[in-house]
Amino acid sequence: MYSVPDTVAYLVGRWSIDRTVIDERSGTRGSFIGTAEFRRVGDELLEEESGEFEWGGVTNPASRRHRLVPRADGTADVLFADGSPFHDLDLRTGRWSTRHPCAADLYDGEFTVVSQDEWHLRWRVSGPAKTQSLTSVYRRTPSAGRPPIPAP
Protein backbone atom coordinates (compact mmCIF):
# COMPACT_ATOMS: atom_id res chain seq x y z
CA MET A 1 0.00 0.00 0.00
CA TYR A 2 0.99 3.59 -0.61
CA SER A 3 0.00 6.26 1.91
CA VAL A 4 -1.51 9.52 0.70
CA PRO A 5 -1.32 12.55 3.02
CA ASP A 6 -3.98 14.49 1.05
CA THR A 7 -6.74 12.48 -0.64
CA VAL A 8 -7.97 15.28 -2.91
CA ALA A 9 -4.46 16.36 -4.03
CA TYR A 10 -3.66 12.73 -4.91
CA LEU A 11 -6.75 12.29 -7.08
CA VAL A 12 -6.41 15.50 -9.15
CA GLY A 13 -5.81 14.63 -12.79
CA ARG A 14 -6.90 12.12 -15.40
CA TRP A 15 -7.11 8.37 -14.78
CA SER A 16 -7.89 5.43 -17.04
CA ILE A 17 -10.47 3.00 -15.63
CA ASP A 18 -10.73 -0.73 -16.23
CA ARG A 19 -13.77 -2.10 -14.36
CA THR A 20 -15.23 -5.59 -14.16
CA VAL A 21 -18.83 -6.07 -13.00
CA ILE A 22 -20.13 -9.48 -11.96
CA ASP A 23 -23.75 -10.25 -11.17
CA GLU A 24 -23.34 -13.00 -8.62
CA ARG A 25 -26.91 -14.28 -9.00
CA SER A 26 -26.85 -14.83 -12.76
CA GLY A 27 -23.10 -15.10 -13.36
CA THR A 28 -23.29 -12.34 -15.97
CA ARG A 29 -20.03 -10.44 -16.44
CA GLY A 30 -19.66 -6.95 -17.81
CA SER A 31 -16.99 -4.32 -18.16
CA PHE A 32 -16.51 -0.59 -18.19
CA ILE A 33 -13.53 0.95 -19.99
CA GLY A 34 -13.10 4.69 -19.74
CA THR A 35 -11.56 7.62 -17.94
CA ALA A 36 -12.08 9.61 -14.77
CA GLU A 37 -11.15 13.27 -14.65
CA PHE A 38 -10.75 14.80 -11.19
CA ARG A 39 -10.60 18.60 -11.40
CA ARG A 40 -10.90 21.42 -8.93
CA VAL A 41 -14.09 23.46 -9.08
CA GLY A 42 -14.05 26.10 -6.37
CA ASP A 43 -13.37 24.42 -3.02
CA GLU A 44 -14.40 20.99 -4.30
CA LEU A 45 -13.09 18.32 -6.63
CA LEU A 46 -15.39 17.21 -9.45
CA GLU A 47 -15.02 13.64 -10.69
CA GLU A 48 -16.39 12.94 -14.16
CA GLU A 49 -16.29 9.38 -15.43
CA SER A 50 -17.04 8.50 -19.03
CA GLY A 51 -16.54 5.48 -21.22
CA GLU A 52 -18.28 2.39 -22.56
CA PHE A 53 -20.14 -0.20 -20.51
CA GLU A 54 -20.55 -3.69 -21.96
CA TRP A 55 -23.25 -5.88 -20.38
CA GLY A 56 -24.86 -8.96 -21.85
CA GLY A 57 -23.15 -8.47 -25.20
CA VAL A 58 -24.44 -4.90 -25.59
CA THR A 59 -22.11 -1.89 -25.35
CA ASN A 60 -23.40 1.59 -24.49
CA PRO A 61 -21.85 4.90 -23.50
CA ALA A 62 -21.84 5.44 -19.73
CA SER A 63 -20.96 8.32 -17.45
CA ARG A 64 -21.33 9.55 -13.89
CA ARG A 65 -20.26 12.42 -11.65
CA HIS A 66 -19.27 12.77 -8.03
CA ARG A 67 -18.17 15.71 -5.93
CA LEU A 68 -15.41 15.47 -3.33
CA VAL A 69 -15.39 17.98 -0.50
CA PRO A 70 -11.96 18.11 1.14
CA ARG A 71 -11.52 18.16 4.91
CA ALA A 72 -8.61 19.90 6.65
CA ASP A 73 -7.17 16.55 7.83
CA GLY A 74 -6.52 15.25 4.27
CA THR A 75 -9.72 13.22 3.97
CA ALA A 76 -12.86 14.01 1.94
CA ASP A 77 -16.60 13.59 1.79
CA VAL A 78 -17.82 12.09 -1.49
CA LEU A 79 -21.18 13.34 -2.72
CA PHE A 80 -23.39 12.38 -5.63
CA ALA A 81 -23.67 15.01 -8.37
CA ASP A 82 -26.87 16.36 -6.77
CA GLY A 83 -25.03 16.97 -3.48
CA SER A 84 -26.53 14.06 -1.54
CA PRO A 85 -24.03 12.10 0.59
CA PHE A 86 -22.34 8.99 -0.80
CA HIS A 87 -19.43 8.07 1.51
CA ASP A 88 -16.33 9.34 3.27
CA LEU A 89 -12.83 8.79 1.88
CA ASP A 90 -9.53 8.60 3.76
CA LEU A 91 -6.50 7.41 1.77
CA ARG A 92 -3.88 8.47 4.36
CA THR A 93 -2.92 4.88 5.18
CA GLY A 94 -3.33 3.70 1.58
CA ARG A 95 -6.46 1.69 2.35
CA TRP A 96 -10.01 2.70 3.17
CA SER A 97 -13.26 0.80 3.72
CA THR A 98 -16.64 2.47 3.57
CA ARG A 99 -20.32 1.62 3.37
CA HIS A 100 -23.30 3.16 1.58
CA PRO A 101 -26.92 2.07 2.03
CA CYS A 102 -28.94 2.46 -1.18
CA ALA A 103 -32.62 1.72 -0.66
CA ALA A 104 -32.63 -1.91 0.57
CA ASP A 105 -29.19 -2.70 -0.91
CA LEU A 106 -25.86 -2.19 0.83
CA TYR A 107 -22.65 -1.10 -0.93
CA ASP A 108 -19.38 -2.02 0.81
CA GLY A 109 -16.38 -0.30 -0.75
CA GLU A 110 -12.65 -0.83 -0.37
CA PHE A 111 -10.08 1.60 -1.75
CA THR A 112 -6.43 0.55 -2.04
CA VAL A 113 -3.68 2.90 -3.20
CA VAL A 114 -1.01 0.83 -4.97
CA SER A 115 1.35 3.61 -6.03
CA GLN A 116 1.55 7.27 -6.96
CA ASP A 117 -0.13 6.38 -10.24
CA GLU A 118 -2.50 3.49 -9.46
CA TRP A 119 -5.35 2.73 -7.09
CA HIS A 120 -8.01 0.03 -6.91
CA LEU A 121 -11.65 0.17 -5.89
CA ARG A 122 -13.90 -2.77 -5.10
CA TRP A 123 -17.60 -2.50 -4.34
CA ARG A 124 -19.65 -5.46 -3.09
CA VAL A 125 -23.37 -4.88 -3.44
CA SER A 126 -25.80 -7.05 -1.52
CA GLY A 127 -29.52 -6.86 -1.10
CA PRO A 128 -32.83 -7.71 -2.69
CA ALA A 129 -32.21 -5.70 -5.89
CA LYS A 130 -28.56 -6.61 -6.56
CA THR A 131 -25.81 -8.98 -5.60
CA GLN A 132 -22.79 -7.75 -7.51
CA SER A 133 -19.09 -7.12 -7.30
CA LEU A 134 -17.44 -4.24 -9.12
CA THR A 135 -13.66 -4.19 -9.32
CA SER A 136 -11.93 -1.14 -10.80
CA VAL A 137 -8.29 -0.32 -11.53
CA TYR A 138 -7.46 3.37 -11.94
CA ARG A 139 -4.16 4.34 -13.59
CA ARG A 140 -2.97 7.91 -13.90
CA THR A 141 -2.61 9.06 -17.49
CA PRO A 142 0.22 11.44 -18.38
CA SER A 143 -0.78 15.07 -18.01
CA ALA A 144 1.35 17.86 -19.36
CA GLY A 145 2.44 20.33 -16.71
CA ARG A 146 1.34 18.25 -13.72
CA PRO A 147 4.22 17.75 -11.29
CA PRO A 148 4.61 14.29 -9.77
CA ILE A 149 3.31 13.82 -6.24
CA PRO A 150 6.20 13.31 -3.83
CA ALA A 151 6.39 9.98 -2.05
CA PRO A 152 5.58 10.11 1.67
Side-chain angles (χ1 to χ4, degrees), residues 54-109:
E54 183 277 322
W55 187 256
V58 177
T59 302
N60 287 300
S63 63
R64 68 180 180 186
R65 288 179 159 191
H66 294 113
R67 296 166 39 199
L68 285 80
V69 179
R71 297 182 192 153
D73 63 0
T75 66
D77 290 312
V78 181
L79 311 175
F80 290 106
D82 67 2
S84 60
F86 186 13
H87 62 84
D88 53 350
L89 185 57
D90 180 355
L91 299 179
R92 293 176 297 181
T93 66
R95 179 167 290 205
W96 183 248
S97 295
T98 191
R99 177 171 272 187
H100 173 74
C102 182
D105 293 334
L106 188 60
Y107 285 67
D108 286 306

Side-chain angles (χ1 to χ4, degrees), residues 89-146:
L89 185 57
D90 180 355
L91 299 179
R92 293 176 297 181
T93 66
R95 179 167 290 205
W96 183 248
S97 295
T98 191
R99 177 171 272 187
H100 173 74
C102 182
D105 293 334
L106 188 60
Y107 285 67
D108 286 306
E110 184 174 302
F111 295 75
T112 304
V113 181
V114 176
S115 72
Q116 174 178 313
D117 297 318
E118 184 176 326
W119 56 282
H120 300 174
L121 172 56
R122 179 179 168 101
W123 286 104
R124 286 225 7 106
V125 186
S126 56
K130 296 179 189 173
T131 302
Q132 295 180 334
S133 64
L134 297 86
T135 305
S136 303
V137 175
Y138 291 74
R139 291 187 178 95
R140 190 181 304 279
T141 61
S143 177
R146 186 178 194 290

